[in-house]
Amino acid sequence: FAWRTNFLFLLLVCWGSLPINGQWEDGMVICSDPPFHVEHMEHPEIPVRFDLGIDINNLPITFPPTQTPMQYWAYVPIGNSAVDAHACKMKDPADPSKTINCNREEAEKRIPPLDKYLGKMFRRSTAKIATMDLIWLAISLPTIETADVSKTIFRQLKSHQRINRFPGLEMELNRKDGLALNIENLQQRFPEEIRFHPETFIFPRDADKLQTADKNCRYIYKPNFGGRGAGIRILNGDELDQVEFAKSHVIQKYIPNPLLINGKKHTLRLYVLITSIDPLKIFISSIGIVKFASQEFSETETDIKRHVTNQAVNSENKKETSQNIRWQLSTWKNHLQLEGVNDTDVWNRVKSVVVKGIISALPNLKRNLDEFSDGTCKNCFQLLGTDVDVDDQYNPWLIEMNVNPTLSASTPFEFQEKDQLVQDMFRILGIVPNFNSESLRNHIRRRVEEYQKDLSQEEIGIIADAEFEMLLKGEFERVYPGNDAEIYSKYFEELSSKNQIL
């Protein structure tokens, strides 16, 4: 990733689509021009594949010249309120039409972690795509099917540009019927092993099948594209005939025996980073959120606050605070330990269903890569907000994957952890203030060449990129390929030569 010192850009797409000619419609926000300042970087241990002999504090790395920091004038969203960083005004939570004065220091603490990190390098401006280095799509989930970036844009990207999307990924993993179809195809090949996604009825294909569905079961009706619990309904089996089955929605069989904590259902929100499709490289952060329903689970009542863990739904329950319906992932693991459960085994199974879910979409993702990019899309990456439920037998269930996970925060621990999450993500990608990542990549490449003289330049590049990511991964763990990579090989329709290298 080549940094230029004069004119860097970040695009935050709030809605709308990206026209082919690179012109931007109203509603799109772009950040540009970095206020540089040097930060100390802490790095994890060097991976064991190669003894690269790298002292991270003594690298031949050049820094851009220090510039006078520019005021970051962004109007920053904060949940349902907002802070104007210049005027230090905040919308009154009780009456959004009014503004109230706020303490500047306290206001800055509320700036969402994504904006805070990128604010060190970019300011918001207006420009054409040819002048940008980083394109960050933040499109509302209900509109993503029609408003997401045009796939034709991937062929226009220059080698130094990065975008947080792989072509078509939103249809294969984010769209609920797309994810269900991909997992179903994998299940047909491995019926005894692939049992980690709820049975899903897709319109119009399954209209007749739904008529004969088990009426003793409970079901959940949800939109293909959506978030924050919008449009979700809990249905008893005898209510299926009353639902208008539409192409825009799916119906899933409800997991009848969820693992309960203090009588309440919960969902693991994991942050999954895909840095490459071919070779496939998947990271999961140890930073995660456990989302709780605000009311106790019931086998008979269908009140959505007993069955859905989305914060937007449960924050309406005035009896519960954000702290009561949100846990750190580490707290959840500690709870399992206290209950005498092998949390390491459960966590390994959680990671496994995430990897298999992504592998199930690979055939379609690769076809999109070949059609809309050079077949690799080195410009692309994707952070997925991945929801996993666990039943009372500690079996994980992959529920959904979100291409636009919220990176704002509602509790003090979320601000701290999402600060770290955002920082780790961009370090893996080489997007770091005042840090010449290309110099580090070249240094690693030279060391790999010394160890493996019989490799082609392409193979050396693949290994060097992987070692670079491992060196800067922070709280992320590379779950594929990992030490257990061979157990996943059979799930690929075809294991590419690039995957075999890693």
Side-chain angles (χ1 to χ4, degrees), residues 85 156 241 249 487:
Q156 300 180 37
D241 296 337
H249 286 66
I487 68 174

Side-chain angles (χ1 to χ4, degrees), residues 188-218:
Q188 289 175 356
R189 295 169 52 206
F190 303 96
E192 298 302 318
E193 299 177 42
I194 307 302
R195 295 182 174 182
F196 57 80
H197 187 64
E199 182 180 4
T200 303
F201 298 88
I202 299 169
F203 183 84
R205 186 195 67 171
D206 296 329
D208 292 338
K209 183 179 177 182
L210 189 65
Q211 299 302 314
T212 59
D214 189 347
K215 297 299 189 290
N216 295 317
C217 294
R218 182 173 288 168

Side-chain angles (χ1 to χ4, degrees), residues 355-394:
V355 172
K356 291 172 184 174
I358 294 172
I359 289 176
S360 75
L362 273 188
N364 292 330
L365 290 176
K366 285 184 176 180
R367 278 192 286 272
N368 283 323
L369 285 183
D370 292 338
E371 183 176 356
F372 296 105
S373 76
D374 60 359
T376 61
C377 200
K378 292 182 179 180
N379 312 80
C380 304
F381 66 95
Q382 180 68 64
L383 181 70
L384 292 166
T386 301
D387 286 348
V388 175
D389 283 357
V390 179
D391 66 26
D392 60 11
Q393 300 301 306
Y394 303 100

